[in-house]
Amino acid sequence: MTAHTLQDLTAGLSSDRRNTVVGLVTALVDKGFIKDVTEDRPHTLTAEEERAYAPEIAFIDYWRDSAAHRFQLFRDSSILAIGAGDTLTALVRANLFSGLKRVHVMTTDECPMGDGWSTQLAVSARQRDPRQSQRGWVWCAVVDGGVGVQAGRGAGPGRAAA
């Protein structure tokens, strides 16, 4: 994208037309219809990522500057979701579909998760974004009112590794 200043764009206009254009552009900026993006911070999102997450980036852009940069910071962060059942599944799905590259999941024994739930989420998410991964699928159990990890990565008792 080539950036041009307002002065560059109005250089060939008469004084009256230049003043009209400057007034219109100023009004559009003041009302939030256009904005100066020359000060936006750089990002390294690919064109493919920008296309896939255009709605998320547009939402950020409505509220803040440097939307692609801010989305990249979010996308490159990593979370650990702990829980079980439909709530955990919804949380993991929401994080994947909002653009996080890495979601770590720890399941607890309060609610059976069923077979293949993590694999189904991973396949579904990768259809939109092949760069995503769900690392460290672990399981744990509630021990004396607290969460105690019983195993590292992979399969737990009665669970298949994802």
Side-chain angles (χ1 to χ4, degrees), residues 17-145:
R17 288 187 177 181
R18 182 175 23 259
N19 290 340
T20 300
V21 170
V22 169
L24 287 171
V25 169
T26 301
L28 290 170
V29 169
D30 290 346
K31 298 294 182 186
F33 289 105
I34 61 174
K35 64 182 177 178
D36 181 2
V37 296
T38 59
E39 299 296 318
D40 276 3
R41 288 177 270 174
H43 65 86
T44 58
L45 295 174
T46 65
E48 194 175 290
E49 288 172 308
E50 287 185 84
R51 250 188 323 278
Y53 296 105
E56 289 82 359
I57 295 168
F59 179 78
I60 297 167
D61 190 51
Y62 183 80
W63 300 102
R64 303 295 304 264
D65 63 346
S66 303
H69 173 80
R70 291 174 188 275
F71 179 76
Q72 179 183 340
L73 293 176
F74 163 75
R75 181 164 167 71
D76 290 341
S77 63
S78 184
I79 67 149
L80 170 63
I82 302 173
D86 293 341
T87 303
L88 178 65
T89 302
L91 175 63
V92 172
R93 179 179 288 120
N95 279 287
L96 290 172
F97 282 89
S98 65
L100 280 175
K101 282 184 189 175
R102 290 171 298 282
V103 178
H104 302 272
V105 179
M106 182 178 286
T107 60
T108 60
D109 286 336
E110 289 91 16
C111 183
M113 295 301 293
D115 293 334
W117 72 275
S118 60
T119 303
Q120 291 168 0
L121 277 176
V123 168
S124 179
R126 285 194 185 115
Q127 287 174 348
R128 179 180 184 193
D129 184 353
R131 290 179 151 200
Q132 286 183 317
S133 66
Q134 299 74 45
R135 296 181 184 160
W137 296 104
V138 297
W139 57 273
C140 64
V142 175
V143 180
D144 295 327

